[in-house]
Amino acid sequence: MKNDFDVIVIGAGFAGLYALYRLRDVQGLSVRVFEAGDGVGGTWYWNRYPGARCDSESFIYSYSFSRELEQEWKWSSKYPEQPEILRYLNHVADRFDLRRDIALSTRVVGAQASEDGRGWSVETSSGERVTAQFLVTAVGCLSAANVPKIPGLEKFQGRWVHTGQWPTEGVDFRAKRVGLVGTGSTGIQATPRIAAEASQLTVFQRTPNYTIPARNAPFTAEQWAEIQATYPEIRKRARDGSAGFPFTLAGERALDFTEEERNRVYEALWQEGGFKFLYASFGDILRDKTANETASAFIRAKIRSIVKNPDTARRLTPTDHPYGSKRPPIDSDYFETFNRENVTLVDLRETPLVGITEKGLRTSAAEYPVDVIVFATGFDAMTGALLRMDLRGLRGLRLADAWEFGPRTYLGLQTAGFPNLFTITGPGSPSVLVNMPVTIEQHVDWIGDCIGHMRSQGLARIEAIPEAQDAWVEHVNEVARGTLFYEAKSWYLGCNIPGKPEVFMPYAGGQPTYRKRCDEVARAGYEGFRLSA
Ligand code: NA7
């Protein structure tokens, strides 16, 4: 039976747009993309909250596949805000004429592998059923919004919003009392901006967080000319960099230096701002607790020096997990914002949130009347968006059942029992530990090459072999055991979602090691996968 398409791609964010271009325009395949939003952009379509910006520098948080695109697009600053990134993705969609193959406002509600495993039938929210030989998910790692089940929310008379489902028309905070729940990257970005607009902002914090200043600034003409002239070199360094960044990672061990020498390094990186503090300070701060403590203590001292009220400073100071064991945020005036008259911090560890009333939020100690509640409470990360679709493999096997005890994949690319299904930046791949566009392009290229190989060899079906998958899952766990990632209750581990299995989901072995492994697998005739005609 003939399929409607060669490939169906789910999602039109960074990953889906590139997948469409690569598979359609480079390889000549027929491709259909389904996108739930009514515009392209994925993460950058949905996360429109004030202060939303990228934590990777703009010129590397962008596609590298087109030299022309790279040269004609000019980023305004180091860390552009969401509207600029969304404009970029819309420009990409137009420039490569991608829109004609994207169905917007169309959510995939289910997909079923064919009995022979040589294709997929996909059902959409518009009731359509379409078939393709391959199904590629490009649904993002942080796209399934998590609105915590706090009793009484339905009674609240004001307005509530989740940062990851922000209304396109925006939210007017002027003369409003706002309650913001959550102090992850999102809450940390939104706090200063909401505080500047609202009459009163109350931040409800469950876990204090370490954050490093972004030190965002517009590019000067000279800086931009330098970036454009050296782009190929920058891209190469980013591709070869463990976390997908072009800067040199630190090799030295923190404890080989005196406290004074270490603090000089930390201070310089604090002044420079951004992820370099984590990656370019010392090589062991994500591996060795004592080494990490030197960085954590430095940040704690900074918090105490910025926040004027000693009680607020104490509450804002993280002591229960090492820096970097949760996704490290980057901020613009976060701690400074708590010196404002109109900002209050509520520590939910001292006085837990017990419910929501008609008027606002209630803790064990008090009721906080507000006009707007902002949930900056994160996502059902890495697996949420995949499991919310009803994906069924061979013999009706539900992905939710295959992953009952946590996600199991081979290279993060495939799951045994789900032939011809590829997951871009799926669990078990470097994904969220790497600058996303770098790891997305690597996955899409690998998947494209794999499909190309199959076509040239007259092969129709590819499926991960369970033993290869078991070995990969074990390897992913083993690599994670050598890090400090188990020292925090994080979304990397699924801890933020009640009942979610606690499994470290991304691959922590670094992008170059992972890329090498994927390339070796391909060269060895797709070792670990079963291919058939
Ligand atoms: P995160 O990093 O998951 O942060 C969510 C925040 O919300 C965090 O402070 C949580 O506290 C808090 N939270 C979650 N549920 C609750 C409840 N029920 N009550 C109180 N507080 C709660 O999500 P973000 O959106 O900030 O960032 C996600 C990623 O997007 C980010 O890492 C970047 O990669 C981009 P907790 O720490 O769990 O105690």
Side-chain angles (χ1 to χ4, degrees), residues 427-445:
S429 76
S431 56
V432 292
L433 299 181
V434 172
N435 177 27
M436 289 304 295
V438 171
T439 196
I440 283 170
E441 286 190 332
Q442 184 263 339
H443 256 191
V444 171
D445 290 341

Side-chain angles (χ1 to χ4, degrees), residues 105-125:
S105 309
T106 311
R107 188 175 282 282
V108 168
V109 293
Q112 167 71 59
S114 63
E115 259 173 53
D116 62 7
R118 293 199 188 91
W120 282 84
S121 165
V122 169
E123 194 189 340
T124 72
S125 51

